[in-house]
């Protein structure tokens, strides 16, 4: 209507032409009607003249009537002439004035203004208002002239009569004329409005008819195109699936497990695409009424028993109970078994998909008088009662919102109902809130109800699909053979019952970084896993709450999350991660189909580091994840740099404050040592004659223990002294990286002599050397590296039974350092994150998680490598390879980090 109205508004001449033509038709018809009325009534009222009028007035009255009657008959010709078409208002208006003037002349002979003949004028005004549709100027002029003529003629003839009656007649006549005029004006306006609306409606109807015809042609074209395209898509898809199957069966050579996982994913998704194409092809045939059934008599009990037995194995993967409960042992029905099987598979896959683990799915078969009912019932969440019919609409899904928890295309139930309807049956759905869903297939007995135009008259195939379908053109090509396989038929059920999100990589524990995917679509999870599996250990969660729990427990290196998910959405997940100190620094990539500017801005406001829109590039995702992890490591380095820079500020004052008390302790300890040695000498074999045997033994043990403690104290004082000297150098001019030749073997011995007594542990340390152990390095940094590795090894070994072996050797012209312990070892997860800043396996307060990060930085700055090898309960080995000579990119007097005292470094796990 709106479109039509707009079109009319744009073409006013068309409206005017249509309106003028309608007015001409209406006024011509009104005039003709009036002429018949006047031709019959005007002469007939001559009888009233004879009865009421004076005899002297009769000639005048009848002459007037004769004149008007003559004009009336003449008007019949005028109404049909072109003259009337040129003056459709003036001619009937003049005729009405003529008729009313004749009546006015009669009133002059019959009592003037008080004459009862004024009633004829009232009839004239009413007839004018009812029979003619005129514009305002004609209406007002005509009615005004009727009244004015009546008054002027009688006043000129001085024919007033009874004044009271005259005034009453005039009032009634004027009122009648006014009412008739208003009625005509309203009629004119309403008729014009109706005309405009009618014209708009006609034009809109014409446009709708044209659009309908175009839509019908487009629908026919779409159906043909759709059917042709879906049919043609099967060929390239088969060409892709066939070699994939050969690869998976080993016909084209051996493949690795990682490659097998990728090929299996490709093959499974290819099968899903083929099934979708088949469903769409059947939908297009149903739309064109071209789908034909190959009907034969089948035992539904036997078929459903086989189907549920095959499905039961898949349902058990989801910990579901599947039961088939037939009312009879046999139930024969005329049907297309292959088509009905698709219906039952769809209903079973829906029930399994929406039923939580531990639930039950039941299939019932009942026989009634004229029908057979198959019921598929589950105890899942059900669906809203008012959605029972919408479920069967094409492409409709209950979870059509942003969460899309269960996925799907929304054509399964639509196709199922249409297939059942084609069998002359019905499919209905019932549900109560949180009490599961119940789908009932009702099939009629016999075959008289089957429509002849829905049946395929060719020879029926065998029950298991041995014939040839209309779609394959009589050829049993590979795609058709594949569609007949059991694993293909049950593909939807296998997808619905598969609880595995990701295949497990055998070497994933050794990956340094971990990526967490929070996504409710399994296929997207698998695609992201394929992109990241080479660089990351990949974890996955299908809703926001599980993702939050995994992130807090595993502390991944990067998180890839969807926006719309069950539980909590991506924005809320990001908010909670940023509020938690444990996860606040983890980079987050938002991967979603909602890529509008508003969504991107909202993501950045919530703390998203990168925003990728679906469909996404796998390379872009991998590059983004790598870049964010590298940036996180650089951030950790900057934090470390800031901490080390802050150390310079306090180093000078702290060294000054420690140095004086240290001298006092050293002097006092020297005095204690002298006195302790004197006591020990006094307790020697020659001085113990006055003590008893037990007292002598206790005194000897005390002397030995005192000597050990003095050794520990002396070692600690030396480490403190070294720290003070280094802090003094920081305070004076900052620490400079000065490359010098340094003997690593000698440095190892010095570190062991300092660290072992300071730990107070009874661990045996063995030092081995082969070849030249002199390298070019920054000695302070080297001592820091050795201190961290050796102290970690000593603390990892057990007391009394502990053994630490430090080996210095040459290899391929470089230097190799091995630090081994026989402690409890480390898990693969700990090894993968060992050099990550702030990661530690020690308890609270026993390590900062920076020691091994600093060691890695020292080795990297010397252009070397550091590796760790460990097994639980079998100890740990750190292997450091360093070049003998350095060509540093940074000037030798440039400060670098770590700037840490070489013998007081924090220890990492």
């Amino acid at each position: 209507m709106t479109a039509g109205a707009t079109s009319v508004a744009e073409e006013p001449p068309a409206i005017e032409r249509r309106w003028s033509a309608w007015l001409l038709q209406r006024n011509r018809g009104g005039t003709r009607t009036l002429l018949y009325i006047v031709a019959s009534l005007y002469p007939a009222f001559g009888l009233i003249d004879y009865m009421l009028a004076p005899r002297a007035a009769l000639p005048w009255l009848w002459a007037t009537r004769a004149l008007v009657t003559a004009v009336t008959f003449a008007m019949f010709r005028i109404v049909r002439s072109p003259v009337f078409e040129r003056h459709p208002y003036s001619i009937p208006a003049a005729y009405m004035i003529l008729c009313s003037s004749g009546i006015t002349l009669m009133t002059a002979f019959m009592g003037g203004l008080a004459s009862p003949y004024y009633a004829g004028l009232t009839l004239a005004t009413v007839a004018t208002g009812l029979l003619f549709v005129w514009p305002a100027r004609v209406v007002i002029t005509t009615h005004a002239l009727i009244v004015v003529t009546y008054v002027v003629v009688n006043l000129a003839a001085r024919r007033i009569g009874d004044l009271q009656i005259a005034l009453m007649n005039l009032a009634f006549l004027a009122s009648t004329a006014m009412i008739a005029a208003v009625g005509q004006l309203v009629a004119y306006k309403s008729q014009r409005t109706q005309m405009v609306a009618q014209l708009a409606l006609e034009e809109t109807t014409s446009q709708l008819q044209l659009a309908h015809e175009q839509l019908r042609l487009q629908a026919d074209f779409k159906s043909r195109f759709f059917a042709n395209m879906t049919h043609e898509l099967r060929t390239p898809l088969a060409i892709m699936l066939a070699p994939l199957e050969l690869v998976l069966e080993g016909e084209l050579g051996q493949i690795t497990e990682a490659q097998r996982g990728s090929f299996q994913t490709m093959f499974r998704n290819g099968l899903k695409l083929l099934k979708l194409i088949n469903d769409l092809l059947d939908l297009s045939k149903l739309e064109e009424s071209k789908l034909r059934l190959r009907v034969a008599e089948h035992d539904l009990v036997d078929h459903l028993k086989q189907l549920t037995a095959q499905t039961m194995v898949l349902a058990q993967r989801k910990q579901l109970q599947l039961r088939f409960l037939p009312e009879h042992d046999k139930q024969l029905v005329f049907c297309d078994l292959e088509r009905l099987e698709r219906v039952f598979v769809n209903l079973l896959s829906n029930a399994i998909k929406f039923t939580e683990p531990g639930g039950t799915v039941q299939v019932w078969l009942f026989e009634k008088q004229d029908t057979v009912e198959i019921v598929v019932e589950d105890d899942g969440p059900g669906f809203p009662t008012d959605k029972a019919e919408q479920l069967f609409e094409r492409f409709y899904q209950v979870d059509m919102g942003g969460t899309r928890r269960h996925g799907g295309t929304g054509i399964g139930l639509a196709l199922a109902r249409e297939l059942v309807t084609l069998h002359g049956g019905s499919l209905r759905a019932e549900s109560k809130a949180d009490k599961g869903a119940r789908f009932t297939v009702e099939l009629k007995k016999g075959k008289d109800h089957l429509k002849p135009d829905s049946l395929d008259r060719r020879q029926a195939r065998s029950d298991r699909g041995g014939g040839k379908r209309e779609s394959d053109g009589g050829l049993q090509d590979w795609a058709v053979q594949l569609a007949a396989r059991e694993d293909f038929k049950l593909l939807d059920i296998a997808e619905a019952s598969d609880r595995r999100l990701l295949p497990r990589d055998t070497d994933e524990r050794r990956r340094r970084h971990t990526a967490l995917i929070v996504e409710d679509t399994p296929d997207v999870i698998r695609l992201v896993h394929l992109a990241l599996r080479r660089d990351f250990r990949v974890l996955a969660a299908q809703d926001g709450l599980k993702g939050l729990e995994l992130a807090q427990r595993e502390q991944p290196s990067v998180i890839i999350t969807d926006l719309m998910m069950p539980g909590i959405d991506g924005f809320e997940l990001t908010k909670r991660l940023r509020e938690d100190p444990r996860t606040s620094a983890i980079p987050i990539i938002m991967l979603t189909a909602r890529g509008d500017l508003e969504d991107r801005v909202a993501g950045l406001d919530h703390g998203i580091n990168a925003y990728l829109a679906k469909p996404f590039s796998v390379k872009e995702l991998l590059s983004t994840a790598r870049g964010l992890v590298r940036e996180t490591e650089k951030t950790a380095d900057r934090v470390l740099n800031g901490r080390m820079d802050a150390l310079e500020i306090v180093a000078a004052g702290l060294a000054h404050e420690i140095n004086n008390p240290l001298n006092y302790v050293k002097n006092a300890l020297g005095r204690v040592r002298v006195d302790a040695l004197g006591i020990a000498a006094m307790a020697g074999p020659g001085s113990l004659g006055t003590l008893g045997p037990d007292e002598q033994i206790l005194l000897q043990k005390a002397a030995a223990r005192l000597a050990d403690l003095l050794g520990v104290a002396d070692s600690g004082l030396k480490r403190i002294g070294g720290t003070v000297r280094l802090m003094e150098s920081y305070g004076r001019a900052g620490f400079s990286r000065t490359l010098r030749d340094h003997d690593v073997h000698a440095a190892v011995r010095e570190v062991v002599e300092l660290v072992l007594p300071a730990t107070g542990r009874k661990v045996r340390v063995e030092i081995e050397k082969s070849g030249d152990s002199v390298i070019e390095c920054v000695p302070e940094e080297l001592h820091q590296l050795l201190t961290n590795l050796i102290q970690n090894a000593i603390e990892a070994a057990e007391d009394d039974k502990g053994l630490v072996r430090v080996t210095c050797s040459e290899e391929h012209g470089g230097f190799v350092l091995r630090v081994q312990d026989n402690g409890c070892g480390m898990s693969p997860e700990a090894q993968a994150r060992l050099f990550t800043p702030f990661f530690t396996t020690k308890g609270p307060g026993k390590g900062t998680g920076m020691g091994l990060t600093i060691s890695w930085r020292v080795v990297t700055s010397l252009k070397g490598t550091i590796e760790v090898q460990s097994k639980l309960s079998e100890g740990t080995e750190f292997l450091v390879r360093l070049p003998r000579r350095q060509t540093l990119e940074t000037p030798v007097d440039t400060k670098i980090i770590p700037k840490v005292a070489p013998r007081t470094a924090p220890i990492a796990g």
Side-chain angles (χ1 to χ4, degrees):
M1 179 65 72
T2 305
T6 304
S7 177
V8 171
E10 293 174 353
E11 298 179 358
I15 296 178
E16 292 304 324
R17 286 194 300 271
R18 183 74 174 269
W19 176 239
S20 299
W22 185 88
L23 283 177
L24 175 61
Q25 179 102 14
R26 172 62 186 274
N27 290 319
R28 175 176 279 163
T31 303
R32 188 177 292 110
T33 301
L34 180 64
L35 292 176
Y36 283 117
I37 293 172
V38 173
S40 59
L41 293 182
Y42 220 86
F45 276 108
L47 182 61
I48 297 176
D49 296 341
Y50 180 78
M51 297 173 59
L52 299 179
R55 294 290 180 263
L58 282 177
W60 296 99
L61 296 178
W62 287 351
T64 302
R65 292 185 184 278
L67 176 62
V68 172
T69 302
V71 172
T72 298
F73 283 105
M75 282 289 295
F76 279 107
R77 292 182 60 87
I78 297 175
V79 168
R80 293 193 298 269
S81 69
V83 176
F84 189 90
E85 293 179 2
R86 292 195 295 270
H87 306 285
Y89 309 138
S90 304
I91 292 175
Y95 176 72
M96 285 305 303
I97 293 172
L98 173 65
C99 292
S100 61
S101 297
I103 297 173
T104 297
L105 186 60
M106 294 179 190
T107 61
F109 292 97
M110 296 296 296
L113 292 177
S115 172
Y117 273 47
Y118 94 97
L121 296 177
T122 302
L123 292 176
T125 56
V126 171
T128 302
L130 292 175
L131 296 176
F132 299 107
V133 179
W134 292 335
R137 67 180 186 279
V138 179
V139 171
I140 295 172
T141 302
T142 302
H143 287 284
L145 285 175
I146 291 174
V147 176
V148 169
T149 302
Y150 170 64
V151 174
V152 170
V153 168
N154 281 285
L155 288 178
R158 296 183 179 182
R159 303 286 293 174
I160 297 176
D162 189 309
L163 183 60
Q164 186 175 1
I165 296 175
L167 291 176
M168 186 180 299
N169 289 350
L170 184 60
F172 276 110
L173 180 60
S175 299
T176 303
M178 184 179 299
I179 293 171
V182 171
Q184 273 188 291
L185 295 176
V186 171
Y188 184 90
K189 184 176 181 181
S190 64
Q191 291 293 346
R192 182 178 176 84
T193 302
Q194 289 181 19
M195 175 61 65
V196 172
Q198 182 180 357
L199 186 61
L201 180 61
E202 290 175 358
E203 185 169 349
T204 302
T205 302
S206 175
Q207 291 178 352
L208 287 175
Q209 290 175 344
L210 180 61
H212 176 73
E213 182 64 21
Q214 291 176 345
L215 285 175
R216 188 185 63 79
L217 294 175
Q218 290 178 0
D220 292 342
F221 175 78
K222 180 203 71 173
S223 297
R224 290 193 302 271
F225 174 79
F226 195 65
N228 293 337
M229 286 302 298
T230 51
H231 189 75
E232 291 300 322
L233 283 172
R234 295 169 63 177
T235 300
L237 187 58
I239 293 174
M240 291 188 292
L241 288 175
L244 276 175
E245 188 175 37
L246 293 176
V247 170
L248 290 172
E249 292 177 353
E251 298 293 336
L252 300 182
Q254 295 297 320
I255 56 175
T256 66
E257 286 302 316
Q259 291 171 334
R260 180 175 297 277
S262 299
F263 288 138
Q264 285 175 339
T265 300
M266 294 165 63
F267 188 74
R268 182 175 60 252
N269 283 278
L271 291 181
K272 290 173 63 177
L273 182 57
L274 179 60
K275 185 179 182 306
L276 178 61
I277 289 172
N278 289 342
D279 289 346
L280 291 174
L281 188 60
D282 280 350
L283 276 178
S284 67
K285 288 182 179 180
L286 284 166
E287 199 171 62
E288 295 181 343
S289 300
K290 291 183 178 179
L291 191 66
R292 298 291 183 266
L293 300 177
R294 296 187 175 179
V295 174
E297 192 173 33
H298 298 283
D299 182 7
L300 283 187
V301 173
D302 179 64
H303 179 71
L304 287 173
K305 188 179 295 183
Q306 294 181 38
L307 180 61
T308 52
Q310 296 166 348
T311 306
M312 197 174 298
V313 179
L314 300 174
Q316 288 173 352
R317 299 191 308 190
K318 199 176 177 182
Q319 301 175 359
L320 300 178
Q321 292 186 12
L322 176 61
R323 303 192 187 101
F324 176 47
L325 305 170
E327 190 176 37
H328 303 289
D329 295 334
K330 189 173 184 180
Q331 186 63 62
L332 297 177
V333 175
F334 283 92
C335 64
D336 185 329
L337 191 60
E338 184 177 331
R339 303 294 189 192
L340 277 187
E341 183 180 60
R342 294 173 68 179
V343 174
F344 299 140
V345 167
N346 180 273
L347 297 181
L348 283 171
S349 66
N350 271 306
I352 292 174
K353 180 192 299 184
F354 289 96
T355 303
E356 296 297 329
T360 301
V361 177
Q362 299 185 101
V363 181
W364 309 79
L365 190 147
F366 303 105
E367 182 183 12
K368 296 189 176 181
Q369 183 175 0
D370 298 319
T371 60
V372 176
E373 286 189 355
I374 301 93
V375 178
V376 180
E377 187 177 45
D378 64 70
D379 56 5
F383 55 85
T385 306
D386 58 341
K387 305 294 184 183
E389 283 302 310
Q390 284 182 278
L391 290 177
F392 300 103
E393 294 179 5
R394 296 182 185 184
F395 313 114
Y396 176 82
Q397 294 173 291
V398 174
D399 58 343
M400 291 185 71
T403 61
R404 291 299 324 279
R405 177 184 177 188
H406 296 286
T409 59
I411 64 175
L413 288 176
L415 179 60
R417 171 172 272 190
E418 295 196 38
L419 289 175
V420 173
T421 303
L422 197 62
H423 279 81
S426 64
L427 173 58
R428 63 182 183 273
E430 303 168 87
S431 179
K432 294 182 180 179
D434 301 324
K435 292 186 178 180
R438 179 185 178 97
F439 288 85
T440 303
V441 177
E442 187 176 60
L443 299 173
K444 296 180 181 179
K445 294 180 181 179
K447 55 182 179 180
D448 294 337
H449 60 279
L450 296 171
K451 297 180 179 179
D453 57 356
S454 66
L455 300 180
D456 191 338
R457 296 300 181 183
R458 292 176 295 177
Q459 183 179 1
R461 66 196 181 288
S462 66
D463 291 354
R464 305 310 300 167
K468 299 177 180 58
R469 277 270 174 209
E470 173 187 344
S471 59
D472 61 21
L475 297 176
Q476 191 67 306
D477 60 8
W478 187 85
V480 174
Q481 296 176 21
L482 182 63
R485 287 169 26 175
E486 298 298 337
D487 56 344
F488 181 83
K489 292 180 180 179
L490 302 180
L491 181 63
D492 286 343
I493 299 178
E495 288 283 324
S497 60
D498 191 359
R499 302 183 67 194
R500 296 177 302 169
L501 294 180
L502 294 174
R504 185 175 296 276
D505 295 329
T506 56
D507 60 342
E508 65 178 12
R509 298 288 185 179
R510 296 191 176 277
R511 309 247 168 82
R512 182 181 175 193
H513 298 293
T514 301
L516 171 61
I517 309 169
V518 188
E519 166 69 55
D520 60 338
T521 306
D523 288 337
V524 176
I525 292 177
R526 296 184 185 107
L527 180 59
V528 176
H529 173 244
L530 288 174
L532 303 182
R533 65 192 302 177
R534 290 184 57 188
D535 296 78
F536 295 86
R537 173 194 173 206
V538 182
L539 306 174
Q542 279 192 288
D543 64 69
L545 290 175
K546 291 180 181 177
L548 178 64
E549 179 185 348
L550 263 179
Q552 293 170 339
R553 185 175 74 241
E554 297 292 337
Q555 303 281 301
S557 307
V558 64
I559 296 174
I560 299 99
T561 179
D562 193 4
L563 175 56
M564 303 305 297
M565 299 178 295
I568 56 176
D569 63 17
F571 287 157
E572 180 64 21
L573 173 63
T574 303
K575 177 185 175 184
R576 297 191 189 184
L577 290 172
R578 294 296 181 239
E579 291 173 350
D580 190 335
R582 296 170 296 175
T583 57
S584 60
I586 299 176
I588 301 175
I589 301 173
M590 181 70 74
L591 189 64
T592 177
R594 290 175 53 177
D596 296 337
L597 178 61
E598 294 79 3
D599 295 319
R600 292 177 179 271
V601 172
L604 295 174
D605 290 340
H606 280 81
I608 301 295
N609 297 88
Y611 203 109
L612 300 182
K614 297 176 183 176
F616 60 92
S617 165
V618 172
K619 290 184 178 180
E620 182 182 11
L621 174 62
L622 178 59
S623 177
T624 303
R626 286 172 174 170
L628 288 175
V629 170
R630 283 196 299 267
E631 187 61 33
T632 302
E633 291 179 339
K634 291 179 181 179
T635 301
D637 288 346
R638 288 193 290 269
V639 172
L640 180 60
N641 291 346
R643 292 186 178 184
M644 296 299 109
D645 289 340
L647 179 62
E648 293 182 8
I649 299 174
V650 300
L654 185 60
H656 177 75
E657 294 297 327
I658 293 176
N659 197 40
N660 289 336
L662 179 61
N663 289 331
Y664 300 150
V665 174
K666 288 173 65 177
N667 294 334
L669 187 60
R671 183 66 259 176
V672 171
R673 177 182 290 277
V674 173
D675 293 341
L677 292 176
I679 294 173
M682 291 180 357
S687 307
L688 297 177
T690 59
L691 300 175
D694 295 337
E695 295 174 335
Q696 293 178 17
I697 293 174
L698 290 174
L699 186 58
Q700 289 175 347
K701 289 182 177 179
R705 187 164 54 251
L706 182 59
D708 289 342
L709 293 175
L710 288 172
V712 172
D714 185 59
S715 175
L717 288 172
K718 288 181 179 178
R719 292 187 68 179
I720 295 174
T723 302
V724 169
R725 288 191 298 275
L726 190 58
M727 286 194 296
E728 286 176 341
S729 68
Y730 282 157
R732 287 192 298 272
F735 178 60
S736 298
R737 299 190 72 247
T738 303
L739 294 173
R740 301 192 298 274
D741 286 343
H742 195 65
D743 188 344
V744 182
H745 182 258
V748 168
R749 290 191 175 278
E750 181 181 353
V751 169
V752 171
E753 291 174 358
L754 291 175
V755 171
L756 183 59
T759 60
R761 297 177 62 81
K762 303 298 182 181
V763 175
R764 182 160 55 94
V765 179
E766 296 179 355
I767 304 176
E768 299 178 5
K769 174 191 174 185
S770 62
D772 186 8
S773 60
V774 176
I775 66 171
E776 187 179 32
C777 64
V778 181
E780 293 83 358
E781 294 180 0
L782 182 65
H783 277 261
Q784 178 68 69
L785 167 67
L786 296 174
T787 299
N788 287 336
L789 297 182
I790 293 173
Q791 183 165 335
N792 273 348
I794 292 173
E795 292 182 345
E798 296 183 14
D799 270 337
D800 298 327
K801 299 180 182 179
L803 173 63
V804 174
R805 179 176 288 107
V806 184
T807 304
C808 304
S809 61
E810 288 185 283
E811 186 178 300
H812 305 301
F815 174 78
V816 178
L817 171 70
R818 283 183 172 85
V819 180
Q820 300 168 287
D821 67 69
N822 62 350
C824 60
M826 290 181 287
S827 65
E829 294 92 333
Q831 294 179 54
R833 303 180 61 190
L834 200 57
F835 301 107
T836 303
F838 313 118
F839 173 78
T840 177
T841 59
K842 298 183 178 181
K846 296 183 178 180
T848 63
M850 293 302 299
L852 287 177
T853 303
I854 293 173
S855 301
W856 179 79
R857 290 289 305 276
V858 169
V859 173
T860 303
S861 68
L862 294 174
K863 295 184 174 58
T865 61
I866 180 171
E867 302 173 7
V868 60
Q869 296 179 359
S870 180
K871 293 184 178 180
L872 292 175
S873 304
E874 295 184 15
T876 302
E877 176 185 79
F878 283 91
L879 179 62
V880 179
R881 289 185 173 89
L882 296 172
R884 291 199 173 277
R885 296 295 166 186
Q886 297 291 320
T887 305
L888 298 177
E889 297 176 1
T890 54
V892 295
D893 59 345
T894 301
K895 295 181 181 180
I896 71 161
I897 300 302
K899 296 185 294 188
V900 215
R903 297 171 187 170
T904 59
I907 305 301

